[in-house]
Amino acid sequence: MAEIRKATGFIDWLDQRLAVNKFIKVMMTEYWIPKNINFLWAMGVVLMVLFMILIVSGIFLLMYYKPDINLAFDSVNYTIMQEVEYGWLWRHIHGVSASVIFLVIYIHMFTGIYYGSYKKGREIIWLTGMALFGMFSAEAFSGYMLPWGQMSYWAAQVITNLFGGIPFIGEALVVWIRGDFLVADATLTRFFMLHVLLLPLVILLLIAVHFYSLRVPHVNNQESEEFDFEDEAKKYLEGKKVESKVVPFWPVFLSKDFFVVGVALTIFFYLVCFHYDFAMDPINFEPANNMKTPAHIYPEWYFLWSYEVLRGFFFDIAGVAAMDIGLAAFGFANVIFMLLPFLDRNTDHVAPAHKRPLFFVWFWLLLIDMIVLTVYGKLPPTGNNAWVGFGATITFLVLFILLPIITKMEANCKCNTGGCK
Amino acid sequence: MAVETSRRDFIGMAFGGFAAAGGIIALGAMKKTWDPLPSVQSAGFITVDLSSMKEGEVQTIQWRGKPIFILKKSADMPKNEKRDIVAGGSSYAVMIGLCTHLGCIPTWTPTTKQFKCACHGGEFDASGVNTFGPPPRPMDIPPFKIDGAKLVLGEEGPEYKKLVPKKA
């Protein structure tokens, strides 16, 4: 044990026991961030803030919510919305932040794709990020079911039914997941447990790993410029702050983050106060009824693109049932982003998309295609809509099949910058 | 030296083996905890009296939390020998009223004599056979027994076993 001497103050007392000064240096004042990054890099901090808002508002909702099929609907729509003081505010904050957090996650993801932040040394950051996306999806879905409204009930019925597509064990697996032959009380209570305990724990753990995985390869920058962080940090500490390419996380970089968080929260609270209804489906204000399906089922907006991939195939191809092709495509869509660092065959070269002409086209096609999938995922799958959905689904699959080919072409093109001119 | 190493290896492997066995048993217990409760599994039998039904009428009843469609076929509806249930001299189509695509409940459209699923546009004919859209197979027939003009759901009678061997 280190020698403990009389402390000169509270911080010193803590420092002798917890090494807080060292900790603050490593985590904050000597955690180096490149100067050359734009507001898109602040999305991580925005996500952290939104996640905290979700936890706090969730705790307040938890005090009145009842996970029982006979009580759940009224505990939300009567007790929390009418009786509890400011209960409506917590609910709207929780609902809106659940929706907005996905928008920010998508911006965060596409920023990573655009600037090539998923490859060469940063693969683990990408993988843990995608694992977080998966966990957030499960978290959002399990929470969506809790108010026991018609739309959430049937969403649960449909999503749990998807596991029925797994060969041999499918049927039994569906019953096992539900704990009943249909989505019932057992299903509600176990989803409640997942939503308030297990998944948040996993998410917190994954966030810690995601942050840690950033420390070694460091944050990428707008030019994907590689430099020696230790040299640059040394320059900064020597007082050559203008010459140095890095700034400390605290207080310099966070001051910029705070500004972005401020703007984001302004928009967020505008939505909470004036447009909370976008995160509230009208059909969900009708209590769940296992004998009546709503006319048109659709998920929340952030799942629409993969939902459209699921239902994009509406006719059998070469004797394979449309449903099975759809399920396979859905499975593909849900794992393919995870594999991105390995599909990009231009492994040695990190550059933003505007310096990689083929990839640049690929990136924007993907983004546009996902917007098309999202829009058509909400529309009824009939007539022309079905064909647009089919086309967009095919485009999605083809884009990912093309990615290794175009990035290999790019890697083979010997230009001094590594990218094709 | 060699002796010591092998002793340590043995202790390590023995410990690892015990831990793995314990882990597998614990996983089994967790799996069983999530299984449906006995009260759920023993969901009862339902007896439906068919004699009061009108031709061309669809009756929906609930069995094990699932909707069951019972359609008394009228003369203009095509018979389906592989699926129809004959009781008291009339033909009935009996099926679990869940679309075989993703489990939504289709609605009966009397004008076209079809079951239509609004979710993904699946269509089934009066016998519950899929005719359009993503549903991969006809609607499932629940286990039943015929008792005169009554239908007992939940029990596998000889008539049930004669029908399409495939069920849910």
Side-chain angles (χ1 to χ4, degrees), chain B residues 18-164:
Chain B
F18 271 105
I24 288 166
I25 292 167
L27 278 180
M30 288 178 193
K31 190 262 170 196
K32 290 210 165 189
T33 304
W34 265 38
D35 274 341
L37 301 174
S39 56
V40 169
Q41 278 170 333
S42 65
F45 303 91
I46 292 182
T47 306
V48 193
D49 188 3
L50 299 174
S51 58
S52 61
M53 280 188 74
K54 292 192 196 82
E55 284 195 353
E57 179 198 44
V58 174
Q59 188 186 356
T60 307
I61 57 159
Q62 196 173 335
W63 170 76
R64 286 189 184 174
K66 291 175 183 170
I68 304 290
F69 295 153
I70 304 175
L71 166 69
K72 185 170 186 176
K73 287 200 169 173
S74 52
D76 58 337
M77 289 178 192
K79 301 265 186 291
N80 186 331
E81 281 181 10
K82 282 181 182 163
R83 295 178 54 89
D84 286 358
I85 292 172
V86 184
S90 313
S91 288
Y92 298 88
V94 176
M95 64 206 97
I96 297 176
L98 296 175
C99 176
T100 46
H101 180 216
L102 291 174
C104 305
I105 303 176
T107 37
W108 173 246
T109 318
T111 46
T112 57
K113 297 191 175 56
Q114 275 178 322
F115 292 98
K116 286 192 182 179
C117 183
C119 301
H120 299 96
E123 289 177 5
F124 301 86
D125 68 11
S127 303
V129 177
N130 50 324
T131 52
F132 175 80
R137 61 173 194 274
M139 282 193 263
D140 297 318
I141 298 174
F144 69 90
K145 196 186 81 170
I146 294 168
D147 181 13
K150 284 181 186 149
L151 184 70
V152 181
L153 288 172
E155 199 175 325
E156 297 191 8
E159 300 86 354
Y160 171 73
K161 288 175 181 156
K162 260 190 277 169
L163 293 180
V164 202

Side-chain angles (χ1 to χ4, degrees), chain A residues 14-64:
Chain A
L14 273 183
D15 190 43
Q16 290 187 47
R17 285 152 183 85
L18 283 176
V20 285
N21 287 337
K22 181 82 189 286
F23 187 73
I24 289 168
K25 267 189 182 177
V26 171
M27 300 298 286
M28 313 280 277
T29 57
E30 291 186 13
Y31 174 32
W32 304 103
I33 306 288
K35 278 181 185 169
N36 184 19
I37 58 181
N38 57 36
F39 78 97
L40 290 167
W41 269 263
M43 293 304 141
V45 172
V46 173
L47 282 172
M48 202 62 217
V49 170
L50 284 171
F51 185 55
M52 287 304 135
I53 289 176
L54 274 168
I55 289 183
V56 172
S57 57
I59 287 171
F60 281 92
L61 293 173
L62 190 52
M63 290 189 275
Y64 289 95

Side-chain angles (χ1 to χ4, degrees), chain A residues 154 157-158 161-162 171 175-182 190 193-194 290-297 307 310-311 313-316 321-324 381-382, chain B residues 30-37 40-41 43 60-62 64-68 98-106 118-121 132-134 136-137 168:
Chain A
W154 285 94
Q157 195 83 276
V158 168
N161 228 338
L162 284 181
E171 284 306 315
V175 172
W176 184 73
I177 290 170
R178 290 175 178 168
D180 204 327
F181 298 107
L182 71 164
R190 66 185 56 173
M193 178 282 292
L194 289 173
N290 64 323
M291 296 299 280
K292 183 174 161 275
T293 316
H296 173 45
I297 292 188
Y307 180 69
L310 173 70
R311 67 179 196 180
F313 292 94
F314 57 94
F315 49 84
D316 299 358
M323 182 188 175
D324 296 333
T382 45
Chain B
M30 288 178 193
K31 190 262 170 196
K32 290 210 165 189
T33 304
W34 265 38
D35 274 341
L37 301 174
V40 169
Q41 278 170 333
T60 307
I61 57 159
Q62 196 173 335
R64 286 189 184 174
K66 291 175 183 170
I68 304 290
L98 296 175
C99 176
T100 46
H101 180 216
L102 291 174
C104 305
I105 303 176
C119 301
H120 299 96
F132 175 80
R137 61 173 194 274

Side-chain angles (χ1 to χ4, degrees), chain A residues 36 64 74 85 111 142 151 170 185 221 225 243 290 318 336 340 361 370 410:
Chain A
N36 184 19
Y64 289 95
D74 283 343
E85 292 239 36
T111 305
S142 58
M151 193 57 112
D185 201 55
N221 57 71
E225 187 190 345
E243 201 186 305
N290 64 323
I336 200 67
L340 202 60
V361 174
M370 286 186 69
E410 192 183 86

